[in-house]
């Protein structure tokens, strides 16, 4: 086991990782920006090092500072959490070169899955279903038009280095293709330093369903079921649940098997998520793979009883998975509400000081957060301030439990999206499990 792990993150996920370290008897080392000196992760960790000013680019994204901190403090491993450097293959590679264990897959696998063209090609070769596509990056307008005519409009133009919905263009007609193609290339170059784009058939009103995989460094790979993540706004998920109301045991088995097949074939290690679109006819299509622990991992933890962050650490030390696929049991229903500091009407982030705080609790309630009464939500970082997760026997009971937990939750001094969550939980379509990726835009 490791002696000391550096946590290259902040907020609730840094606290979540510190908790796992403590329970495993591992020393935790926090890093923080000067704006975060009063944050909970710096207080909970066994030690803390300031790595720069408030601006992320100079602190939490500063590879040189973080690698130096790891070396100065003599940590053996680094946990990147999600966001920041979590999917940065150059960071993972820098760690590998310095003899620091990056708690995640290898930099090589991160690079492969980071390129959406290579990832999709690999999935297709393995018989994992994909939407009709260009099969390669597009060389020019003429090729883009030929491919689109073959696929049939509408089509989506996506950036090879994009992902998470960034750098996508929906094109309805032949006439608008050329300009969209050129715009997509320009934007991809500006955003990712890579102008490669590809074209894909557009899937209308799908659900976003993802499979959690866990892979050790000895070739053992299992999946822990799915998460339904359709309730989102501008590619920011708001509420996630497991199981998905759209899946039965048979479809779960098929999607899980496809995700495991991909993970095995690419030599994936540690925890990861395979994202699928699920269309109205319940056909599923591979989208991309996330090579990190996700924000919504607690819903999977609650229905499986697996501590995913502890698993990440154990896998990184070379331990074999104890859990076998046949012993994975999905028990009950879990829902997560992401609590953001924002104006509930405009969705504009709303940082500021928390002057009153009453926390929810009781049976089946989990709260992952780094806020406290008197804490100031900073404008420099993501506005997610808490994750409220509930577990119950049935979906109906989970909805009732989440409703009462949200009603107990009072955060004074700043605005939050708690009212929005309460409204979603009362919605007839939501209650019936009828959700797709446009649910929220119809709703608000
Ligand atoms: C799509 C799609 C429709 N058709 N691809 C956005 C995130 C990225 N993982 C894939 N995304 C999409 N790809 C085809 N061919 C719709 C989306 C999409 C979406 C997917 C999942 C969750 C939210 C979304 C919001 C808008 C669009």
């Amino acid at each position: 086991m490791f002696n000391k792990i550096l946590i290259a993150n902040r907020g609730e996920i840094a606290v979540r990782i510190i908790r796992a370290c403590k329970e495993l008897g591992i020393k935790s080392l926090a890093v923080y920006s000067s704006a975060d000196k009063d944050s909970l992760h710096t207080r909970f960790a066994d030690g803390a090092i300031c790595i720069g000013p408030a601006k992320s680019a100079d602190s939490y994204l500063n590879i040189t500072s973080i690698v130096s901190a790891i070396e100065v403090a003599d940590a053996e491993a680094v946990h990147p959490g999600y966001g920041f450097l979590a999917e940065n293959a150059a960071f993972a590679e820098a760690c590998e070169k310095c003899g620091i264990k990056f708690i995640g897959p290898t930099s090589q696998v991160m690079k492969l899955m980071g390129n959406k063209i290579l990832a999709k090609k690999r999935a297709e070769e393995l018989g994992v279903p994909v939407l009709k596509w260009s099969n390669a990056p597009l060389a020019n307008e003429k090729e883009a038009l030929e491919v689109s005519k073959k696929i049939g409009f509408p089509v989506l133009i996506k950036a090879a280095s994009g992902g998470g919905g960034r750098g996508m263009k929906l094109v309805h007609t032949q006439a608008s293709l050329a300009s969209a193609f050129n715009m997509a290339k320009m934007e991809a170059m500006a955003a990712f330093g890579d102008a490669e784009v590809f074209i894909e058939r557009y899937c209308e009103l799908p659900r976003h369903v993802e499979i959690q995989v866990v892979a050790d460094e000895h070739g053992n790979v299992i999946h822990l079921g799915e998460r339904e993540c359709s309730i989102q706004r501008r590619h920011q998920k708001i509420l996630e649940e497991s199981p998905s109301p759209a899946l039965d045991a048979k479809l779960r088995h098929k999607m899980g098997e496809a995700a495991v097949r991909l993970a095995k074939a690419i030599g994936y290690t540690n925890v990861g998520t395979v994202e699928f679109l699920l269309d109205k006819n319940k056909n599923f299509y591979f989208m991309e793979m996330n090579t990190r622990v996700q924000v919504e991992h607690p819903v999977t933890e609650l229905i499986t009883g697996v501590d995913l962050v502890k698993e990440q650490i154990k896998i990184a030390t070379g331990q074999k998975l104890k859990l076998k696929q046949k012993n994975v049991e999905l028990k009950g229903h879990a829902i997560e509400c992401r609590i953001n500091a924002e104006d509930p009407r405009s969705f504009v982030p709303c940082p500021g000081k928390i002057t009153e705080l009453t926390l929810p609790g009781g049976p089946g309630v989990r709260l992952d957060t780094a806020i406290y009464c008197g804490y100031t939500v900073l404008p420099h970082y993501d506005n997610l301030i808490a994750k409220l997760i509930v577990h119950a026997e049935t979906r109906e009971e989970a909805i009732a439990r989440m409703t009462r937990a949200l009603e107990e939750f009072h955060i004074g001094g700043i605005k939050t999206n708690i009212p929005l969550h309460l409204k979603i939980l009362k919605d007839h379509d939501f209650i019936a499990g009828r959700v797709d990726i446009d649910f929220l835009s119809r709703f608000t």
Side-chain angles (χ1 to χ4, degrees), residues 116 120 131-132 154-156 158 163-166 168 170 199-209 229-237 275-277 285-288 290 436-438:
K116 308 306 161 190
K120 192 158 165 152
L131 285 158
K132 255 201 220 166
V155 295
L156 262 186
K158 295 185 176 184
R166 296 176 315 149
M168 301 200 315
L170 178 57
I199 286 185
E200 197 174 85
R201 197 189 92 211
Y202 179 61
C203 181
E204 217 150 340
L205 300 182
R207 289 172 184 258
H208 175 179
V209 177
C229 303
S230 298
I231 300 187
Q232 55 84 38
R233 192 181 165 276
R234 297 192 180 169
H235 306 293
Q236 290 277 54
K237 294 165 189 163
E275 276 188 16
F276 295 100
L277 291 185
Y285 305 99
F286 169 77
M287 284 290 113
E288 50 194 76
N290 301 320
D436 58 54
I437 62 171
D438 278 348

Side-chain angles (χ1 to χ4, degrees), residues 406-420:
L406 286 166
E407 283 166 357
E408 289 174 7
F409 206 172
H410 171 72
I411 306 174
I414 59 166
K415 290 180 200 160
T416 76
N417 62 349
I418 289 175
L420 173 66

